[in-house]
Amino acid sequence: MNTDTSPKIPVVLTIAGSDSGGGAGIQADLRTFAFHCVHGTSAITCVTAQNTLGVVGVEAIPPEVVVAQINAVCDDIGVQSAKTGMLLNKEIIAAVAEQVEALQIPNLVVDPVMVSRTGFQLLDDDAVKNLRNLLIPKAALVTPNRYEAQILSGLPINSLDDMRAASQIIHRNTGVKVVLVKGGGMQGSLRGVDIWFDGHHTETLTTKHVDTKNTHGTGCTLSAAIAANLARGSDLITAVKQAKEYVTNALSYSLAIGKGQGPVGHFFPLLNK
Ligand SMILES: Nc1ncnc2c1ncn2[C@@H]1O[C@H](COP(=O)(O)OP(=O)(O)O)[C@@H](O)[C@H]1O
Ligand SMILES: Cc1ncc(COP(=O)(O)O)c(N)n1
């Protein structure tokens, strides 16, 4: 076969946990990458036994094995962007931060995953410090949800103004380029509203609120879509706006599977054809 005719497809890396139920984590990320026409690669940080009702087990991958996966991808294939999701413990965070620096991984999106939609703790308490001090400073964008923004800023969040204040504190405390505080954990129509702060400008990014209980994987999907859009050449604010549209569609076509909170659905581009 003549490889000269191969399309130039951007490559994206996800560093995240496996979700056996397929709604969040690595599984959501790789699916999101595929629907954005980018080649997905992965470094798995932990394996969760999980479904729409909750997380019943977690096993960490040794940090050196996480590092080996990142190196295997970057040394040979190379990536145009990357995202992190569930990192579980302080040792994995420190190892990932070191590799991001050593390999100069571009366009890093950090989703500071702490708790699952079903209320299960996904990050050790003593790991927040490493997230804040070692990894988030190396990111182009950090995307905390309401709960994570409260932990990272130390501020209770009950309103849009609180989201704005938290975004500024997180920006100041970490030195990250841009903070996106997500509104999915807020009340009513605020659930479709996110706050962007880049150190100079605050933007309120609004998409229509979708009324569904099947929201498992929204945060993973958003950060994966942002990383994919960056790899495809979008600037950061455009990448975020495009990703929000994708998540809104995925929520509108979410899957009523399992007995609990089902996952967002990625198949909307293929349906009704
Ligand atoms: N019901 C909803 N309707 C529309 N957008 C939503 C809804 N829930 C979450 N989102 C959007 O999904 C993205 C992920 O947010 P969020 O659910 O807060 O993240 P996480 O999964 O990390 O808790 C954000 O852009 C948020 O605005
Ligand atoms: C492996 C893994 N990564 C991330 C999440 C968070 O997703 P959600 O907040 O939708 O439960 C999860 N539940 N599992």
Side-chain angles (χ1 to χ4, degrees):
M1 183 189 161
N2 176 6
T3 50
D4 292 346
T5 59
S6 300
K8 277 255 168 290
I9 298 289
V11 181
V12 184
L13 170 65
T14 170
I15 306 169
S18 167
D19 169 2
S20 55
I26 290 280
Q27 287 81 356
D29 294 344
L30 292 178
R31 199 176 300 122
T32 303
F33 294 159
F35 276 98
H36 282 77
C37 214
V38 300
H39 177 72
T41 62
S42 61
I44 298 182
T45 57
C46 61
V47 175
T48 71
Q50 183 174 179
N51 55 29
T52 65
L53 295 170
V55 182
V56 290
V58 183
E59 185 72 31
I61 301 295
E64 59 275 18
V65 179
V66 177
V67 167
Q69 295 173 79
I70 297 171
N71 288 346
V73 169
C74 293
D75 290 349
D76 173 42
I77 304 170
V79 301
Q80 279 73 60
S81 68
K83 67 149 280 187
T84 64
M86 180 177 175
L87 299 177
L88 188 62
N89 64 40
K90 61 177 194 272
E91 291 82 10
I92 294 177
I93 294 173
V96 168
E98 200 179 309
Q99 275 337 89
V100 164
E101 178 80 34
L103 298 166
Q104 292 290 299
I105 293 179
N107 297 318
L108 179 70
V109 180
V110 171
D111 182 4
V113 173
M114 294 184 190
V115 178
S116 77
R117 177 86 27 195
T118 44
F120 190 91
Q121 190 163 348
L122 302 177
L123 183 73
D124 294 348
D125 286 333
D126 66 358
V128 174
K129 207 171 103 206
N130 276 4
L131 198 56
R132 185 192 281 126
N133 297 342
L134 300 181
L135 188 61
I136 294 175
K138 297 183 173 53
L141 177 73
V142 64
T143 62
N145 64 17
R146 178 190 186 182
Y147 174 81
E148 293 150 0
Q150 290 185 145
I151 299 289
L152 290 171
S153 68
L155 211 65
I157 298 178
N158 295 304
S159 66
L160 264 187
D161 278 345
D162 294 342
M163 289 169 71
R164 290 190 186 102
S167 70
Q168 293 175 12
I169 293 172
I170 295 166
H171 188 272
R172 195 169 56 237
N173 287 351
T174 63
V176 65
K177 287 193 194 65
V178 177
V179 180
L180 186 77
V181 175
K182 301 174 295 192
M186 303 295 284
Q187 301 295 323
S189 61
L190 276 188
R191 286 194 281 165
V193 182
D194 302 339
I195 297 295
W196 156 287
F197 182 65
D198 62 11
H200 305 285
H201 305 288
T202 295
E203 274 209 50
T204 306
L205 305 177
T206 304
T207 47
K208 81 175 161 63
H209 158 242
V210 182
D211 191 14
T212 174
K213 74 174 170 67
N214 301 318
T215 58
H216 184 46
T218 47
C220 303
T221 300
L222 183 80
S223 53
I226 295 169
N229 292 329
L230 290 172
R232 289 171 61 89
S234 297
D235 60 55
L236 193 48
I237 186 81
T238 308
V240 170
K241 287 177 178 169
Q242 291 166 329
K244 265 187 81 57
E245 282 306 318
Y246 183 86
V247 169
T248 306
N249 277 316
L251 279 161
S252 302
Y253 288 89
S254 61
L255 309 184
I257 57 171
K259 300 179 192 71
Q261 301 184 43
V264 298
H266 298 252
F267 306 112
F268 53 89
L270 301 178
L271 297 170
N272 311 318
K273 279 203 166 163

